[in-house]
């Protein structure tokens, strides 16, 4: 059997132009491909167009004409039939969209807001691809506002009409010379796309870009986001080969699951930088538990952006600076920054700025220092920052830059100039501008000073070199791009192979959750919470319940002294607040007295609370560490997981990190490393290290619990004590709430789809397990690759690959289960797993069509494994509503061609061309699923 289709532009080798994407929860009638017609239209209609009046319609018309749009423009004005308004800016005017008599791609609506729903209806009548609504005027929240929004959204969803806005500043595509916006100037062409929720912020960015000569590919003001949102734009811009990076100003998100899916896919190939406004609102969020208060709204956005590979900036200035450095095509692949300066002070400032991020200027090699000795004065500092002294000439700059560009340890250069009497800043700038394009290392500049430095900055800007007025701003911009590259490296790390999947008991857990849902508060008592955690394999301290002083004394005797006593009440969430915890009770008398006094204190502090007795636990003395773990249901992103330092000081110390589920061991480890307490867990100053693997497993089990049960609103394990290196949950609070959401649709990141697991019986091998591929399968996939002959490799990848890179292994195993179907056939021999074949189907950027590939190891050719895997993938794709599936096959790959015929693919091409295209329409009648497979 062959290894299946593959080509240089196959799923794993696509460039940005072939970015793929869809999610299962996406409305399938909102096609992304229609956005292509919006940004590259042939015909545009402007509703509300006018001439000689200060209106939005006049501004849009003027900007379209002056911008040089080469397509057809149709002014639409209700007075268009009148003689005086028969032509607008020399173009025939029409009284309505339906009077144009031809289909238009984009409609710019600048009419009064009250007329917008009717105009949108006309857009659908003329089969427009979409509309940008610049109109304002609705009073937000008013009845008219809500009715108009519902009508516009209904038309959009019924017809597939894409809507940008309302209350949008407009949209720009420089490649199409399209300026359908209220901003007067078409920016220079570039590879930077800017998407803003705020029109004012967008206008400011564009104005800044003109001064700094920053080029843009696209500018989009999303406005109210009735339809097109950030996720749509990321998907579209990710597939556009003219876009190199994406910068966003975000106030809030909609369709968070779609946003996360799009961003996780695109950020691997293009930097995404976001300024999220509203950071201070996190402090105003009320929460019932420690986890809820520590995992506020802003922290959740931070975790979501990190999981999606988005670099977050915090200030308007930082957004400007990042936009500038991205526009210069800078890509930083390492932290090796060489700082070149003609004064010591700025060099120290740059080094201090790097130190704030935990980095230092790169250590220069002896060879580099010797080379610099040849071109610098004898008294230079012989280190980095490289101080060329105050009399540095343009020639000295040139020689130093040449030397550093050849140094292997240097990945980027920061070139600075401070005003000096003996230095010609303009001449130095011209030298740098002429030289920096001769080598491939990215260069940023910092030209210090005021008006005297302006001409030098202008020269550098014209040369396409990102230039800043202070060392700190230059370093910060460098770090944002470096953070992106590091973030992608972390996303592509390969988790270690775990020996077995965790075992849980969702039936028992469901019982306790259902019981709590029938209580007025939805709060579990300590014993109920412990039972729920134990059902998911989380180690909990033995807990006994007593409802009288006699019972408490008897149980304490059985447990063994000393014991801890805790009040038992679902109406009291924080037991310590009402004196509901007593520790180190060492005798029967202490237990009896403690029972009575505790109930008395609780009754006084919480007179309306129902007291069900007390919980008794063995006393853990002198634990090495106290941790907090928990989960909170965020209203936007779904459940989030928290980890940090625990105990009564958890909120005060605020040493915590959060992440989005699902978690694997790698992600759990990264979550732990985001806290200071993790240094202690690794072993600090003679302290024995804790069992970090078991702590990570508890995080994974919590992740699985909140993945399986969307009813869990808050889960708080505090403290989770570490004693002799082993973690143990000592106290837990869990709150459940009814929800209409079904698992796993409440998650913003899709979990492993266990429903696609099955088994296949083969005469030659026996039983194979068919399951979706997991990140932990990277090692097994590498072993599969080693079984391939050179011809099999060429058939699959269309190139003579000798090995699979780490990035490729990550690409093949760390998949978005919304956007890709990847099934592996697993053969188990004496508890050792071996992947014998993989088939995958990946959605393309139009969110409808998909591409397939099959890879079968050479020892297992001819057994029907590839056909079964691909047929199963096709069934899943059809169930998800994919439109078609295709792949390219080499003419000599006869086995794959035979498989295609067997599965009813249409085959086009010829042996003469060397390739065949296999295509299958998934909207036709269903192919029968293989009868060999059985559910797992």
């Amino acid at each position: 059997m062959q290894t299946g289709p593959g080509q240089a532009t196959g799923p794993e080798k696509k460039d940005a132009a072939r970015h793929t994407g869809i999610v299962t929860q996406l409305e399938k009638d909102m096609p992304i491909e229609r956005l292509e017609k919006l940004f590259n239209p042939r015909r545009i209609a402007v509703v509300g167009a006018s001439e000689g009046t200060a209106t939005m319609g006049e501004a849009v018309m003027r900007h379209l004409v002056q911008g040089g749009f080469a397509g057809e423009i149709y002014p639409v004005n209700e007075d268009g039939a009148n003689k005086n308004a028969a032509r607008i800016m020399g173009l025939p005017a029409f009284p309505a969209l339906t009077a144009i008599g031809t289909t238009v791609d984009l409609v710019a609506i600048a009419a009064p807001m009250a007329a917008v729903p009717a105009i949108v209806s006309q857009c659908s009548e003329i089969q427009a691809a979409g509309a940008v609504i610049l109109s304002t005027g609705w009073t937000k929240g008013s009845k008219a506002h809500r009715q108009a929004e519902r009508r516009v959204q209904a038309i959009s969803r019924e017809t597939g009409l894409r809507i940008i806005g309302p209350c949008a500043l407009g949209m720009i595509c420089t490649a199409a010379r399209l300026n359908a916006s209220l901003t007067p100037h078409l920016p220079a062409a570039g590879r930077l796309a800017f998407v803003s929720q705020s029109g004012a912020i967008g206008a400011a960015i564009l104005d800044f870009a003109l001064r700094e000569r920053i080029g843009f590919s696209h500018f989009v003001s999303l406005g109210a986001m009735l339809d097109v949102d950030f996720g749509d734009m990321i998907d579209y811009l990710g597939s556009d080969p003219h876009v190199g990076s994406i910068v966003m100003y975000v106030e809030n998100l909609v369709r968070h699951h779609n946003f996360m899916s799009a961003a996780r896919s695109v950020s691997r190939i293009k930097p995404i930088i976001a300024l999220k406004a509203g950071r201070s609102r996190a402090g105003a969020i009320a929460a019932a538990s420690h986890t809820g208060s520590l995992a506020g709204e802003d922290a959740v956005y931070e975790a979501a952006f990190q999981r999606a590979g988005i670099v977050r900036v915090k200030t308007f200035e930082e957004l400007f600076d990042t936009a500038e450095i991205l526009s210069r095509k800078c890509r930083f692949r390492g932290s090796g920054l060489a700082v070149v300066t003609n004064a010591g002070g700025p060099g120290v400032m740059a080094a201090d700025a790097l130190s704030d991020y935990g980095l230092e200027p790169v250590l220069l090699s002896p060879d580099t220092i010797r080379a610099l000795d040849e071109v610098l004065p004898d008294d230079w500092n012989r280190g980095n920052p490289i101080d060329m002294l105050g009399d540095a000439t343009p020639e000295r700059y040139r020689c130093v830059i040449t030397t550093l560009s050849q140094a292997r340890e240097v990945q980027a250069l920061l070139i600075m100039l401070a005003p000096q009497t003996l230095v010609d800043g303009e001449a130095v700038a011209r030298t740098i501008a002429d030289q920096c394009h001769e080598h491939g290392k990215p260069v940023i500049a910092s030209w210090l000073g005021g008006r005297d430095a302006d001409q030098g900055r202008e020269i550098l800007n014209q040369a396409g070199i990102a230039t800043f007025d202070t060392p700190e701003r230059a370093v910060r911009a460098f770090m944002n791009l470096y953070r992106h590259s590091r973030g992608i490296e972390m996303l592509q790390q390969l988790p270690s192979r775990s020996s077995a999947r965790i075992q849980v008991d969702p039936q028992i857990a469901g019982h306790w959750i259902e019981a709590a849902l029938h209580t007025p508060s939805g709060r579990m008592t300590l014993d109920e919470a412990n039972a729920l955690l134990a059902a998911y394999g989380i180690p909990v301290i033995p807990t006994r319940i007593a409802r009288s002083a006699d019972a408490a004394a008897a149980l304490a005797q059985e447990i063994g002294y000393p014991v801890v006593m805790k009040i038992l009440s679902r109406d009291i969430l924080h037991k310590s607040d009402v004196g509901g915890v007593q520790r180190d009770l060492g005798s029967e008398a202490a237990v009896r007295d403690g029972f009575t006094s505790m109930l008395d204190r609780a009754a006084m502090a919480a007179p309306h609370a129902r007291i069900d007795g007390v919980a008794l636990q063995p006393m853990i003395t002198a634990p090495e560490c106290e941790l907090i773990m928990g989960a909170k249901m965020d209203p936007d992103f779904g459940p989030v997981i928290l980890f940090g330092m625990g105990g009564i000081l958890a909120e005060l110390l605020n040493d915590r990190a959060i992440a989005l589920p699902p978690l694997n061991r790698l992600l759990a480890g990264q979550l732990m490393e985001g806290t200071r307490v993790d240094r202690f867990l690794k072993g600090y100053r003679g302290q024995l290290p804790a069992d970090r693997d078991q702590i990570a497993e508890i995080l994974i089990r919590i992740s699985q619990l909140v993945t399986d049960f969307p009813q869990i609103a808050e889960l708080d394990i505090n403290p989770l004590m570490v004693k002799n290196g082993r973690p143990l949950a000592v106290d837990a609070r869990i709150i459940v709430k009814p929800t209409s959401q079904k698992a796993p649709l409440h998650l913003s990141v899709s979990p492993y789809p266990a429903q696609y697991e099955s088994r296949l019986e083969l005469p030659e091998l026996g039983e194979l397990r068919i399951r979706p591929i997991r990140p932990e399968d990277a090692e097994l996939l590498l072993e599969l690759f080693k079984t391939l002959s050179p011809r099999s490799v060429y058939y699959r990848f269309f190139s003579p690959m000798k090995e699979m890179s780490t990035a490729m292994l990550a690409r093949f195993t760390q998949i978005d289960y919304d956007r890709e179907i990847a099934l592996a056939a697993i053969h188990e021999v004496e508890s050792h797993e071996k992947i014998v074949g993989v088939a995958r189907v990946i959605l393309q950027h139009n969110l409808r069509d998909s591409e397939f590939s099959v890879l079968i190891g050479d020892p297992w050719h001819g057994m029907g494994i590839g056909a079964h895997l691909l047929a199963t993938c096709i069934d899943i794709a059809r169930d998800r509503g994919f439109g078609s599936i295709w792949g390219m096959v080499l003419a000599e790959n006869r086995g794959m061609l035979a498989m295609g015929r067997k599965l009813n693919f249409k085959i086009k091409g010829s042996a003469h061309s060397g390739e065949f295209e296999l295509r299958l329409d998934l909207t036709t009648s269903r192919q029968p699923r293989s009868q060999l497979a059985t559910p797992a």
Side-chain angles (χ1 to χ4, degrees), residues 475-542:
V475 168
R476 184 178 59 193
F478 162 78
M479 286 303 304
N480 280 335
L481 271 296
Y482 173 65
R483 282 167 56 202
H484 171 261
S485 63
R486 284 289 298 135
I488 298 306
E489 286 179 14
M490 291 183 65
L491 290 176
Q492 292 180 344
Q493 287 183 19
L494 303 177
S496 59
R497 179 144 185 83
S498 55
S499 58
R501 295 180 63 186
I502 63 172
Q503 300 297 315
V504 298
D505 194 332
Q507 185 173 357
I508 291 179
H511 162 76
W512 289 110
I513 289 174
E514 189 65 27
L517 285 172
H518 285 84
T519 65
S521 65
R523 297 173 182 172
M524 292 186 174
T525 58
L526 177 58
D527 57 323
E528 293 169 345
N530 283 352
L532 173 61
L533 297 178
Y536 268 64
I538 297 170
V540 296
I541 193 168

Side-chain angles (χ1 to χ4, degrees), residues 76 95-99 116-128 155:
V76 177
L97 286 172
T98 52
V116 167
I119 296 170
V120 171
S121 181
Q122 289 185 39
C123 290
S124 65
E125 286 184 48
I126 65 170
Q127 297 182 334
I155 296 171

